[in-house]
């Protein structure tokens, strides 16, 4: 059974940092491009970032570029999102997502972890 | 960036009736290299993550009931539910994956 389990969410003040993790199981993690997608409370889905199978290539949405860093550890089947300089508008549920290729549909979704940026 | 626009924003359909959701992209999502449309449909029920229903505009995922179908090419796409069931109440999103950012439509809330 495919599982993606996010952790690391919580409440942080504006300007602060958080590191999200996503533990993957049930599929060959190293064969999948991975993404983060976020959803603000009551709002729609927004793609945040992606990383290549070997971690050598990353791409970010303009709204997070320079503040967020995505990485992966294929030996530990784990995905990360380092979030710095957080803003109130970053408040959202963050989903860890698996896709088959660089331009491919999003096959697997985690349950999400809530990040709240508030003073 | 490619902008995805869905219509309508919300839709009420009777049980057993047909539901149709439209999605329009600001530029073609048809890849000339493989002649495939880089377009997916997702279903999100309250409190749950999205679930992939349709990929490549018309390929139904394994386990998805055959009352769900996707069609269209280029910039205009449609998700059709042929006979609405109670468990189909959800928000539906289209998304392109032709290039980054892999933008989603704003969502269509389907109700009975």
């Amino acid at each position: 059974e495919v599982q993606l389990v996010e952790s690391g969410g919580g409440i942080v003040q504006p300007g602060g940092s958080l590191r999200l993790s996503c533990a993957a199981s049930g599929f060959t993690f190293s064969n999948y491009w991975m993404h983060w997608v976020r959803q603000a409370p009551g709002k729609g889905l927004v793609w945040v970032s992606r990383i290549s199978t070997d971690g050598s290539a990353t791409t970010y949405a303009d709204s997070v570029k320079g503040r967020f860093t995505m990485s992966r550890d294929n030996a530990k089947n784990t995905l990360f999102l380092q979030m710095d300089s957080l803003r109130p508008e970053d408040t959202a549920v963050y989903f860890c997502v698996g896709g088959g290729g660089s331009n491919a549909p999003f096959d697997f979704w985690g349950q999400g972890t809530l990040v709240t940026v508030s003073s | 960036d490619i902008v995805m626009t869905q219509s309508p924003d919300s839709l009420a359909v009777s049980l057993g009736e047909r539901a149709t959701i439209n999605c329009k992209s600001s530029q073609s999502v048809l890849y000339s290299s493989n002649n495939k449309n880089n377009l997916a449909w997702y279903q999100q029920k309250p409190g749950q993550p999205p679930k992939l229903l349709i990929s490549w505009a018309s390929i139904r995922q394994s386990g998805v009931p055959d009352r769900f179908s996707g069609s269209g090419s280029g910039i205009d796409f449609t998700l059709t539910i042929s006979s609405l069931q109670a468990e189909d109440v959800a928000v539906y999103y289209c998304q392109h994956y032709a290039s980054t950012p892999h933008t989603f439509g704003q969502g269509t809330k389907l109700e009975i």
Side-chain angles (χ1 to χ4, degrees):
Chain A
E1 179 194 5
V2 170
Q3 277 201 310
L4 292 170
V5 180
E6 302 93 337
S7 60
I11 302 174
V12 61
Q13 292 188 338
S17 297
L18 274 180
R19 189 190 198 208
L20 306 184
S21 299
C22 171
S25 61
F27 66 105
T28 307
F29 179 71
S30 58
N31 286 351
Y32 280 76
W33 284 66
M34 297 297 294
H35 305 258
W36 289 97
V37 173
R38 69 185 181 184
Q39 186 170 37
K43 302 297 184 181
L45 302 169
V46 177
W47 175 83
V48 172
S49 60
R50 73 174 185 182
I51 190 167
S52 60
T53 53
D54 64 358
S56 62
T58 52
T59 313
Y60 300 92
D62 287 346
S63 58
V64 306
K65 201 173 295 181
R67 300 187 299 122
F68 289 12
T69 303
M70 192 174 180
S71 61
R72 66 192 297 163
D73 183 339
N74 284 346
K76 296 182 178 179
N77 290 345
T78 305
L79 182 72
F80 302 100
L81 184 66
Q82 177 66 41
M83 303 187 295
D84 298 320
S85 303
L86 282 161
R87 305 167 179 169
E89 55 264 36
D90 295 319
T91 294
V93 172
Y94 284 73
F95 294 103
C96 168
V97 184
S102 58
N103 293 319
F106 291 5
D107 295 316
F108 315 131
W109 294 70
Q111 290 295 317
T113 187
L114 176 62
V115 172
T116 302
V117 184
S118 175
S119 54
Chain B
D1 296 358
I2 299 175
V3 177
M4 309 299 291
T5 304
Q6 292 180 226
S7 62
D9 290 335
S10 63
L11 181 62
V13 175
S14 301
L15 290 173
E17 296 300 305
R18 178 186 297 261
T20 301
I21 299 171
N22 300 301
C23 176
K24 192 178 190 77
S25 58
S26 60
Q27 56 188 274
S28 177
V29 298
L30 176 63
Y31 246 22
S32 56
S33 60
N34 60 10
N35 202 36
K36 287 185 173 182
N37 289 283
N38 288 229
L39 188 285
W41 289 96
Y42 301 87
Q43 175 193 64
Q44 187 178 30
K45 296 181 179 180
Q48 296 185 19
K51 171 188 173 183
L52 178 62
L53 295 178
I54 304 281
S55 60
W56 309 105
S58 61
I59 307 299
R60 195 168 45 244
Q61 299 306 110
S62 175
V64 174
D66 61 6
R67 63 180 179 273
F68 290 90
S69 64
S71 63
S73 184
I75 63 171
D76 286 303
F77 301 91
T78 300
L79 174 69
T80 302
I81 308 172
S82 60
S83 177
L84 190 72
Q85 304 299 303
E87 61 265 32
D88 300 335
V89 169
V91 179
Y92 293 84
Y93 295 92
C94 64
Q95 180 217 21
H96 86 86
Y97 43 89
S99 59
T100 54
H102 297 318
T103 46
F104 293 86
Q106 79 275 20
T108 295
K109 186 174 184 179
L110 179 58
E111 300 172 308
I112 294 175

